[in-house]
Amino acid sequence: MPHAIRFHETGGPEVLRWEEVELGEPGAGQVRLRQTAVGLNYIDTYHRTGLYPTPLPSGIGLEAAGVVEAVGEGVSDLKAGDRVAYASGPIGAYTEARLMPAERVVKLGDSIADETAAAMMLQGMTVQYLIRRTHRCQKGETVLWHAAAGGVGLIACQWLKSLGVTVIGTVGSEEKAALAKAHGCTHTINYRTENFVEKVKEITGGAGVPVVYDGVGKDTWEGSLDCLSPLGLMVSFGNSSGAVAPVNLGVLSQKGSLFVTRPTLVTYTASRKDLLASAQELFEVVGSGAVKIEINQRYALKDAVQAHRDLEARKTTGSTILLP
């Protein structure tokens, strides 16, 4: 029987358990995967803590790469032996093998290695929808990106630079500032030692930015609004510091008729057409060399507890994978 990481109660990393799981044959519309690499993402901690509730007991994880072992009835575009990856539910990617809906799985080309796919699908497609759909970034624009040295941030900095966009990135240390700059971030702000609102105003000559990308949440919310130019867009796509408090809409008018959105990858890739388009654009930008996926941490899948501890302690940079 294959093993998987599961949890029976919400809480800290210690609730994660390494357990045997039963795995049957794929049903209609399903494929059975033997997984070769699993992605670690901050959203996994939201499921584990209960911030994003899930029925218990539960598997964990949304992203992995692997090989199709068998296909169920009605699956015509995948076959046994195909290398594939995914970055969506159903939750339960931290496993050696699993069943998945075929419509949520994307075939990999020869140019994309399994580990690279597991490290980039969720983060890379998140960047794709944020900078190409939520706000279609244009050459000559300046944007603010929080946590620029994180996995999503490093992909975004590279991709935005290739588009001719100036990136102001916040980081938590001088080491992370150097990392972000090496990946295309034009200006870095250490928010532990500098006031990021003042620095953004200084860099932009007081104009502010048309869009803020904020995966941090509670700690950066108020300041992010103050960094926006009139009619600017606040894109809140994560809560690594905690959930944002209820929003007073009057504040948005006072600060310049601002827009706010709370997007998710789930919505932007809900249809198979959108999923394939998003993945294809990601594969192309990585294949071109404009975006390099750097896997800076590797853990054995059974050591997911330590991986979660390091992630929440901000000890990780770039992408992290778990190896079955």
Side-chain angles (χ1 to χ4, degrees):
M1 291 174 65
H3 283 78
I5 295 288
R6 293 173 58 78
F7 60 104
H8 295 253
E9 59 183 342
T10 57
E14 68 280 357
V15 303
L16 300 177
R17 301 182 188 178
W18 181 241
E19 300 179 340
E20 283 189 334
V21 291
E22 291 189 17
L23 187 67
E25 293 301 311
Q30 290 184 321
V31 293
R32 188 178 73 223
L33 306 179
R34 173 179 55 82
Q35 303 206 136
T36 53
V38 176
L40 176 72
N41 296 284
Y42 216 93
I43 193 173
D44 303 344
T45 70
Y46 301 162
H47 290 130
R48 190 203 73 225
T49 61
L51 179 64
Y52 291 178
T54 183
L56 297 176
S58 176
I60 188 169
L62 295 171
E63 173 184 45
V67 179
V68 176
E69 289 190 322
V71 301
E73 182 183 351
V75 177
S76 58
D77 55 347
L78 294 169
K79 64 183 186 304
D82 282 346
R83 297 173 52 249
V84 297
Y86 62 89
S88 70
I91 191 172
Y94 289 21
T95 184
E96 294 174 323
R98 73 176 304 191
L99 302 177
M100 273 291 290
E103 66 173 10
R104 305 312 301 166
V105 171
V106 176
K107 193 181 298 187
L108 295 175
D110 293 339
S111 64
I112 305 292
D114 288 21
E115 289 193 1
T116 301
M120 79 176 188
M121 290 294 289
L122 194 148
Q123 295 173 344
M125 290 197 299
T126 294
V127 173
Q128 188 277 333
Y129 86 74
L130 288 172
I131 71 174
R132 309 309 289 147
R133 295 182 65 192
T134 303
H135 173 85
R136 191 167 181 85
C137 293
Q138 305 292 334
K139 182 177 181 180
E141 282 187 322
T142 298
V143 307
L144 173 61
W145 198 290
H146 287 297
V152 174
L154 292 181
I155 294 172
C157 288
Q158 295 176 80
W159 201 330
L160 288 165
K161 182 181 180 180
S162 75
L163 295 173
V165 176
T166 296
V167 182
I168 304 172
T170 65
V171 295
S173 69
E174 292 310 309
E175 292 77 14
K176 289 189 174 183
L179 185 64
K181 281 190 173 179
H183 289 76
C185 190
T186 315
H187 307 278
T188 56
I189 302 169
N190 185 340
Y191 61 80
R192 298 189 190 279
T193 60
E194 300 175 288
N195 182 307
F196 73 83
V197 178
E198 292 178 359
K199 291 294 292 184
V200 168
K201 294 293 187 182
E202 178 185 320
I203 292 166
T204 61
V209 294
V211 59
V212 174
Y213 293 105
D214 189 349
V216 175
K218 178 170 65 72
D219 289 353
T220 49
W221 173 262
E222 294 291 343
S224 293
L225 294 181
D226 290 331
C227 291
L228 286 165
S229 56
L231 306 182
L233 174 63
M234 175 66 183
V235 183
S236 176
F237 67 94
N239 325 286
S240 63
S241 68
V244 174
V247 178
N248 179 351
L249 295 181
V251 171
L252 303 181
S253 65
Q254 295 164 14
K255 293 182 182 294
S257 300
L258 303 179
F259 294 84
V260 173
T261 184
R262 181 58 174 90
T264 69
L265 178 62
V266 171
T267 307
Y268 276 86
T269 57
S271 73
R272 182 153 181 83
K273 177 183 176 183
D274 284 339
L275 171 65
L276 293 176
S278 181
Q280 184 59 35
E281 190 167 5
L282 173 62
F283 294 163
E284 288 173 0
V285 76
V286 171
S288 75
V291 172
K292 295 179 173 61
I293 306 300
E294 296 185 6
I295 303 170
N296 293 340
Q297 297 82 210
R298 289 175 172 84
Y299 300 82
L301 178 58
K302 63 182 177 60
D303 294 332
V305 169
Q306 188 59 50
H308 273 232
R309 286 178 178 148
D310 291 348
L311 179 65
E312 291 182 301
R314 299 179 185 269
K315 292 181 179 179
T316 64
T317 60
S319 298
T320 302
I321 59 171
L322 309 171
L323 298 173

